[in-house]
Amino acid sequence: MSRLSVDAAPEQVGMSTRGLCNVKRLVQRYVDEQKYPGAISVVARRDKVVHFELYGNMDDERGRRMRPDAIFRIYSMTKPIASVGLMMLYEEGRFQLDDPVSRFIPELADVKVFDGGTADSYAVRDPARKMTIRDLLMHTSGLAGQGAKTPVGELYRRAALDGADSDGTLADMVRTLGQIPLQVDPGSQWIYGISTDLVGYLCEVISGMPFDRYLEERVLAPLGMVDTGFTVPTSKLERFAASYAPRAGSPAYQLLDDPATSPYTRPRTYFSGSSGLVSTAADYLRFCRMLARGGELDGVRVLGPRTLR
């Protein structure tokens, strides 16, 4: 079962029991109005959990109620974990934030910038400056966003650059990216997308370990995040929630990924730092508590406070 439970009254940490009832009322209304099949809400302050509630179903098709230790696909909540993993290597002096990415990923040394045209016929030019590791962490790399309705976004789709749903490996991804122009100059625009997949690949290259093993050994295991990873093992399948996407109508959601047939239940080779992990509310709270405590949790230091700042 979940290790998560309320361990303080809201008033003990300067919050209001009555005010927190609004959280429960709001989320329950979303479930009652069939905007969501189910949910978990957690509020913690000053290292104390003051609110923890379950709502609705974790799997509508099978009528399975939400459970406290439900395992979810955390999609973009993977990004902070991957970024912390890379910053641990920064603390070891393995790179500087303004190092060019091509120092570690030579496949991107000669990448160009899109300079007009269509996905079938386009012009390119040299970038105004090199892409840096800081750019990857800040989403200013010049790489296009996944699903972008631009010629470069179309080139990504044709190359099957699908984030967590990609086949192959991170090494395959960077070889492909080296053949596709950037959307814009590095540093010129914030574009939320595939940059953090390259953060994961940098962890691989610099540490010499596959990204999944690196995260497990350096971040997840030390923090006691026992239910977080890139796959759901057979022993935990009964806790794996279904995934839903919005739609018009009632209910306002439709099944996106069935736990019984999900790719997350099979071995994977593409470990997406942007969107690849599964986790629980309890595990992710441990990660957040580590950040809030300046990089340390239960006597384990993951990062120094200066690095976090």
Side-chain angles (χ1 to χ4, degrees), residues 37 57-61 241-246 253-257:
N57 291 336
M58 58 182 276
D59 185 340
D60 253 11
E61 282 63 37
S243 182
Y244 296 88
Y253 54 84
Q254 59 189 338
L255 183 65
L256 179 67
D257 186 34

Side-chain angles (χ1 to χ4, degrees), residues 36-250:
Y36 295 154
I40 295 176
S41 60
V42 186
V43 177
R45 192 182 193 202
R46 298 177 189 165
D47 223 20
K48 299 291 186 181
V49 177
V50 296
H51 165 94
F52 177 40
E53 295 286 348
L54 310 180
Y55 313 83
N57 291 336
M58 58 182 276
D59 185 340
D60 253 11
E61 282 63 37
R62 296 171 180 84
R64 295 167 61 203
R65 300 293 292 173
M66 184 61 68
R67 51 188 291 171
D69 57 355
I71 297 173
F72 299 92
R73 303 148 197 78
I74 62 171
Y75 294 121
S76 284
M77 290 163 64
T78 303
K79 290 179 171 72
I81 298 176
S83 298
V84 162
L86 184 59
M87 291 305 288
M88 294 174 75
L89 296 169
Y90 166 80
E91 277 198 333
E92 294 174 3
R94 309 284 284 274
F95 66 89
Q96 295 299 309
L97 289 173
D98 292 319
D99 283 345
V101 172
S102 57
R103 175 185 169 193
F104 301 97
I105 308 178
E107 293 88 344
L108 300 183
D110 298 317
V111 70
K112 305 297 184 182
V113 179
F114 180 81
D115 198 32
T118 68
D120 295 311
S121 177
Y122 55 87
V124 297
R125 59 173 173 81
D126 289 333
R129 67 160 174 81
K130 295 288 187 181
M131 180 196 305
T132 67
I133 295 176
R134 186 188 302 272
D135 286 322
L136 291 178
L137 289 161
M138 294 181 65
H139 300 281
T140 56
S141 62
L143 294 165
Q146 289 169 250
K149 295 179 180 179
T150 65
V152 177
E154 175 59 25
L155 292 173
Y156 281 24
R157 285 185 285 278
R158 293 180 184 180
L161 292 175
D162 297 323
D165 295 326
S166 298
D167 294 322
T169 65
L170 294 176
D172 295 331
M173 176 267 296
V174 299
R175 283 191 288 269
T176 300
L177 279 179
Q179 306 302 312
I180 299 175
L182 300 175
Q183 180 75 50
V184 297
D185 283 306
S188 68
Q189 189 175 329
W190 187 87
I191 300 176
Y192 189 69
I194 202 171
S195 290
T196 319
D197 276 10
L198 274 77
V199 167
Y201 185 62
L202 282 173
C203 289
E204 280 198 354
V205 171
I206 296 171
S207 73
M209 298 168 59
F211 183 47
D212 62 330
R213 186 156 65 89
Y214 175 78
L215 276 191
E216 174 62 28
E217 293 186 10
R218 296 296 305 274
V219 181
L220 305 178
L223 288 177
M225 297 173 66
V226 297
D227 291 322
T228 304
F230 288 98
T231 58
V232 181
T234 302
S235 61
K236 299 180 181 180
L237 286 182
E238 65 177 12
R239 296 163 48 199
F240 190 29
S243 182
Y244 296 88
R247 70 165 187 179
S250 183

